[in-house]
Amino acid sequence: MATLTKDDLAPGGSAARLASRRPFAVVPRNAIQRTVRMRDGVRLATDVYLPDSTGPWPSLLCRLPYDKAGEECFLPLIAEWFTARDYSVVVQDCRGKVRSDGVPVPYRTEAIDGFDTIAWIAEQPWSTGRVGMLGDSYYGFTQWAAASLDPPALAAIVPRAAPFNYRAARYRQGVLALEAVASYSLETWVDEALYDWAGSLDWSIRPLSEIVPNALGGRRPLGLDQWAKGRFPAASRVKPSGRHATLHMGGFWDPVHRQTVESWKIANATKSRQVQRLYLDTRDHGWTPLRPENAAYVDPFASTTRTSDFVDDYLSPLLEFFDEHVAHRATGAATPVRWRFSDLSWGEGESWPPPQARRKHLYLSIGGSLVEVPDAAERSIGWEHDPTNPVPSLEHPFYTLIDPPTSSVKRPDVLVFAGEPSQGDITDLVGPVTFTVELASSSESTHLYARLWDMGPQSDRRIVEGGMHISGPWPRKVSVDLGHAAYRLEPGHALRLELASSCYPLYAIHPGTSDDPWTAERFVSSGNQISIGGLRAAKLAVTVLDGGT
Amino acid sequence: MRGFRPVESVALLPPAKAASARVYEDLRRGILSGHIAAGTLFSEAKLAEQLGLSRTPLREAFRTLLSDGLLEEGPNRQVQVRVFPAQAHDEVAAIIDWMLRLAIVQAAQHGSPAHADGLRLITIRIRRALRQGDEEARFDEEDEFRLQLTRAAEMPVLEEVLRRMLGQARLMARSNGKSARRRPKSSDVARLDAVADAIEQGDAQTAGASIQTYPFSPPGALKSHG
């Protein structure tokens, strides 16, 4: 959807087809295919990969709903990489998914299934009885879930791009992350299989609730309607306990990175905590790296060499952590927090944001600029929100960095405020970014989206983004969370803030009425306005390191 | 582009099958599912033209199906889907029965947990096929379960012969219109799980007794013959 055009959004404008069921991958010959019996008798399909050396070996576990042998998560390659480094590797299809028995229900049994599987591993003759867990996204969540029950053999976890609270991950301050929820539920939670969704979602369909069922011939994925109404089961929330050594890994261009920072903060604040490290990289949800301007995307699986380089890069930070905490092969002196800047250099420190960072405010000026001193006079500026003609989001819900937008949408309902180009003094944004504003609407409630761009001499790059559902009475003062950044603004580049009331299909559309956006079929235009200047000046708050690190 | 991570490459997929292997599998599936009836005549030239293939892969596929016992020589240098005499049914059922007894004894001697898990992974698929009412998938998995017993016994020659016998039994059942015995219930599939448990524990007697009670399709496959 990265090149979404207005035609795609117009009714009947997109050529959707039915989502296709993906065949199960072939389990590699070097995998020992096992089943592990859970406490209720259900058996989960589990592949064991053992090194060629003499065991027993420390063990690494990965539990996922995406096919343990599939190319999407390339666990066979991961297993090969870790077995070559003397770990036994166990990969398991989650309950009811792919080759595992039972009924697939997202979240519900991940804690006990993880606990029981870790106990099984610890009893095996090939395991030293010390287990680490790894995985991204939902298979990072399965780590949080298992760890919540304190399995005695669990030594360390490395959740990457992983929510520990799914409701928080699927909403931005009350706004449904529609495209992520729709595509994810369609791919993963229809039945035991996985479904390819590219090209199958017709975003012109209303109500929004029918977009996914339309791609499935009328079937509704498990959980879709509950999630879209904000109802997530208790099992989808796990509080990081800090009781296991944890490497919290996230990418600044992954919307889930807020959860990565949050899990580290929560675990780090606990009393009986084990080692907690935060690792923030310039990546998206699929760990696609940020590229220098004009550099073409390189498919990591296009050749054996590229795949090998990608897997090395993808797993090396984990090896260091597992060697220290699972295999006891190294003593760690690593810094608690590491982050990568947009120029691909690394920073490190004791906390996030670094203690020497300071908050800096940039005010919106009536002339469309971002300034350090607010306008003296308070004025308001308005725009129309037309829910039948939403502002296109232009970026992929998960793989933001494969084909990132290089310029924003120019429309009268998108407000733009640009700062002065940097004069050679490097400005580093290192930490959270928020936008605070006083807003009023002709509707009972509305949405506000804010995106911060780096405006370069040749092309632009989106740095952070966020959205918020806001209800009256008006005017209301609100702060929109735009996430975190480690961004180095090069000379000649400037910051630009964009404001709008829709961002579709990344986020659900506010119908302009009090109807639920999920089921709304009636759409009314509304007028929104914000205050600029004076005592109630709208402002962007960034966290900066003066003069770089 | 896929849900979690886009992967356009097919690096982890098995290499594409040769045309002869594809044609063989398609024809075998057509015969076992009853879509191609016993007695159907195939002309190599005509079928090659229909499928847009050269005659060489088709000839190879025919040769393998002939050795499987699913095709036989027909008139005018054609081949036809094999027509069995009525009494062959009981004989094939008895042969399958004896082969399974042999496999179970050997498999129980090995008592390998991984082999038992190989059986359990199949019972998971049988349960799923039952839930989804997918009879063809169930027949396939029931055959697979029996073949897995020969693998657990580490008897590759037996596996090869059993595979042919199971194919012939299915073709016969199709021809006789007897493809449906009674539909298994979940309690029946639990009997197959009991076979896996008994194999793991080295208990051939319990494994043999458990498998006897499962209503395999096609019919008669484990009637007591001695």
Side-chain angles (χ1 to χ4, degrees):
Chain A
M1 294 306 299
T3 51
L4 188 80
T5 66
K6 195 179 168 188
D7 288 344
D8 293 317
L9 305 173
S14 63
R17 55 175 176 75
L18 281 183
S20 57
R21 187 185 162 107
R22 203 184 301 168
F24 296 169
V26 177
V27 176
R29 284 178 181 277
N30 60 327
I32 304 166
Q33 294 195 58
R34 301 297 311 269
T35 68
V36 180
R37 190 177 186 277
M38 301 294 105
R39 62 188 70 183
D40 62 355
V42 168
R43 284 183 177 270
L44 304 190
T46 306
D47 294 340
V48 176
Y49 296 85
L50 300 179
D52 293 329
S53 57
T54 306
W57 306 272
S59 302
L60 301 177
L61 168 64
C62 184
R63 304 189 58 256
L64 73 169
Y66 307 116
D67 193 343
K68 59 184 165 55
E71 62 197 35
E72 184 177 16
C73 301
F74 53 94
L75 266 307
L77 292 177
I78 292 172
E80 187 183 336
W81 198 88
F82 275 115
T83 51
R85 288 155 181 83
D86 285 336
Y87 285 88
S88 51
V89 178
V90 181
V91 297
Q92 184 176 69
D93 289 329
C94 288
R95 183 179 288 243
K97 289 300 300 181
V98 194
R99 292 173 169 84
S100 280
D101 210 355
V103 179
V105 180
Y107 317 118
R108 189 167 71 186
T109 57
E110 302 306 0
I112 55 169
D113 289 350
F115 184 97
D116 291 354
T117 304
I118 291 167
W120 178 83
I121 292 170
E123 289 170 1
Q124 300 305 306
W126 40 261
S127 176
T128 58
R130 286 182 68 78
V131 180
M133 287 186 83
L134 65 105
D136 307 4
S137 198
Y138 190 89
Y139 53 121
F141 171 78
T142 59
Q143 300 175 52
W144 287 120
S148 72
L149 297 180
D150 286 332
L154 183 62
I157 60 173
V158 183
R160 165 160 41 194
F164 61 93
N165 176 340
Y166 259 88
R167 192 187 185 288
R170 295 297 187 227
Y171 281 80
R172 295 280 165 277
Q173 296 179 282
V175 174
L176 172 67
L178 173 72
E179 196 174 3
V181 166
S183 53
Y184 175 70
S185 65
L186 195 166
E187 191 216 11
T188 312
W189 298 111
V190 176
D191 52 30
E192 74 277 3
L194 296 152
Y195 288 78
D196 287 331
W197 50 272
S200 71
L201 294 167
D202 178 350
W203 297 108
S204 69
I205 290 172
R206 302 290 179 274
L208 301 178
S209 60
E210 300 315 302
I211 292 171
V212 174
N214 180 68
L216 286 166
R219 297 174 79 185
R220 306 192 79 84
L222 308 156
L224 172 67
D225 294 289
Q226 286 76 20
W227 300 341
K229 286 174 175 294
R231 292 198 288 265
F232 281 72
S236 70
R237 291 185 297 278
V238 175
K239 189 176 178 197
S241 70
R243 289 193 295 268
H244 301 92
T246 305
L247 179 61
H248 307 249
M249 295 183 79
F252 290 114
W253 276 267
D254 173 17
V256 180
H257 79 269
R258 295 164 169 89
Q259 291 258 300
T260 303
V261 174
E262 191 68 12
S263 69
W264 174 79
K265 274 189 186 169
I266 294 170
N268 213 36
T270 54
K271 282 180 185 164
S272 57
R273 70 178 176 89
Q274 299 294 311
V275 167
Q276 304 294 320
R277 293 202 185 121
L278 178 62
Y279 184 105
L280 296 169
D281 203 347
T282 48
R283 308 277 184 161
D284 66 14
H285 194 65
W287 220 240
T288 316
L290 179 73
R291 306 190 292 280
E293 203 173 14
N294 300 326
Y297 171 68
V298 174
D299 177 356
F301 296 92
S303 73
T304 315
T305 313
R306 282 178 186 167
T307 303
S308 170
D309 290 347
F310 175 74
V311 173
D312 278 347
D313 178 53
Y314 179 73
L315 297 177
S316 294
L318 283 71
L319 179 68
E320 189 182 305
F321 198 71
F322 289 140
D323 276 353
E324 185 182 340
H325 297 284
V326 180
H328 292 316
R329 287 179 193 150
T331 52
T335 321
V337 180
R338 296 191 72 201
W339 64 87
R340 181 133 61 170
F341 286 104
S342 51
D343 67 356
L344 308 186
S345 65
W346 283 93
E348 56 180 41
E350 295 298 312
S351 64
W352 179 264
Q356 64 272 34
R358 65 178 177 89
R359 290 294 261 181
K360 177 177 176 179
H361 291 127
L362 293 168
Y363 296 89
L364 281 58
S365 172
I366 196 70
S369 52
L370 277 176
V371 294
E372 298 199 10
V373 179
D375 297 353
E378 180 180 328
R379 280 179 258 190
S380 61
I381 184 166
W383 68 95
E384 185 191 13
H385 164 55
D386 177 0
T388 65
N389 182 21
V391 178
S393 45
L394 299 181
E395 56 184 75
H396 196 280
F398 298 113
Y399 318 122
T400 323
L401 293 176
I402 290 180
D403 186 16
T406 52
S407 68
S408 52
V409 183
K410 291 164 186 65
R411 300 173 26 143
D413 53 354
V414 179
L415 304 190
V416 177
F417 299 88
E420 286 294 311
S422 169
Q423 296 298 316
D425 51 326
I426 291 176
T427 307
D428 286 343
L429 308 186
V430 186
V433 181
T434 54
F435 172 60
T436 304
V437 67
E438 192 171 277
L439 180 134
S441 176
S442 64
S443 174
E444 285 179 21
S445 63
T446 192
H447 287 177
L448 179 63
Y449 297 92
R451 327 184 121 221
L452 185 63
W453 291 74
D454 169 0
M455 203 164 46
Q458 291 173 13
S459 65
D460 302 342
R461 181 191 276 159
R462 195 271 286 163
I463 305 173
V464 287
E465 57 87 31
M468 188 177 191
H469 175 96
I470 308 159
S471 298
W474 310 112
R476 277 286 302 277
K477 188 176 181 183
V478 295
S479 285
V480 184
D481 164 22
L482 303 191
H484 298 256
Y487 203 87
R488 187 155 276 174
L489 201 65
E490 303 287 353
H493 289 238
L495 293 176
R496 185 177 69 222
L497 180 72
E498 273 177 19
L499 304 175
S501 283
S502 53
C503 183
Y504 186 76
L506 200 57
Y507 297 108
I509 302 169
H510 191 287
T513 68
S514 55
D515 297 343
D516 183 338
W518 185 238
T519 49
E521 294 186 78
R522 194 169 57 94
F523 301 94
V524 177
S525 286
S526 53
N528 293 342
Q529 65 177 39
I530 57 171
S531 298
I532 305 266
L535 294 175
R536 296 182 288 184
K539 64 186 179 188
L540 181 72
V542 293
T543 315
V544 295
L545 271 180
D546 294 311
T549 47
Chain B
M1 200 73 78
R2 290 181 172 170
F4 175 71
R5 178 181 282 106
V7 179
E8 304 295 346
S9 106
V10 288
L12 296 181
L13 291 179
K17 283 187 178 146
S20 60
R22 278 203 312 274
V23 177
Y24 165 74
E25 281 176 16
D26 288 350
L27 287 175
R28 184 173 190 270
R29 176 142 300 282
I31 293 167
L32 298 189
S33 66
H35 288 121
I36 308 173
T40 303
L41 281 167
F42 289 124
S43 146
E44 193 178 286
K46 269 190 192 168
L47 192 58
E49 194 184 328
Q50 277 171 10
L51 298 175
L53 287 171
S54 73
R55 290 171 70 162
T56 309
L58 200 57
R59 195 173 303 138
E60 279 180 39
F62 283 168
R63 196 179 301 135
T64 318
L65 288 162
L66 282 163
S67 88
D68 282 351
L70 297 177
L71 290 185
E72 60 189 355
E73 302 289 348
N76 305 324
R77 300 182 64 193
Q78 292 181 308
V79 291
Q80 67 177 21
V81 178
R82 191 168 172 189
V83 181
F84 286 93
Q87 66 273 22
H89 174 266
D90 284 352
E91 186 186 348
V92 168
I95 293 167
I96 291 172
D97 185 14
W98 279 110
M99 287 195 282
L100 287 180
R101 284 166 200 263
L102 179 57
I104 281 173
V105 169
Q106 289 296 315
Q109 275 183 13
H110 294 299
S112 149
H115 280 146
D117 280 338
L119 293 165
R120 292 176 182 125
L121 286 165
I122 298 166
T123 63
I124 291 170
R125 299 202 293 267
I126 293 176
R127 256 193 287 278
R128 198 171 272 165
L130 268 174
R131 269 203 305 272
Q132 294 169 350
D134 187 342
E135 295 285 276
E136 279 307 308
R138 175 166 65 83
F139 297 161
D140 286 348
E141 297 301 348
E142 288 172 349
D143 283 358
E144 191 59 22
F145 186 90
R146 289 178 282 187
L147 289 169
Q148 179 64 24
L149 282 169
T150 64
R151 291 175 207 131
E154 296 176 12
M155 300 176 80
V157 178
L158 184 63
E159 178 184 350
E160 173 62 31
V161 182
L162 178 61
R163 184 173 174 279
R164 289 181 198 177
M165 289 292 110
L166 289 170
Q168 292 177 23
R170 259 168 94 170
L171 172 57
M172 281 177 218
R174 291 289 182 198
S175 317
N176 300 341
K178 287 183 182 173
S179 62
R181 202 174 159 188
R182 83 175 165 80
R183 196 165 182 269
K185 300 173 187 162
S186 60
S187 56
D188 293 314
V189 187
R191 294 291 188 162
L192 296 184
D193 284 325
V195 173
D197 293 346
I199 295 282
E200 185 168 357
Q201 288 151 17
D203 182 353
Q205 201 173 353
T206 303
S210 296
I211 205 168
Q212 290 283 350
T213 59
Y214 185 85
F216 280 105
S217 299
L222 270 170
K223 275 184 196 163
S224 179
H225 283 272

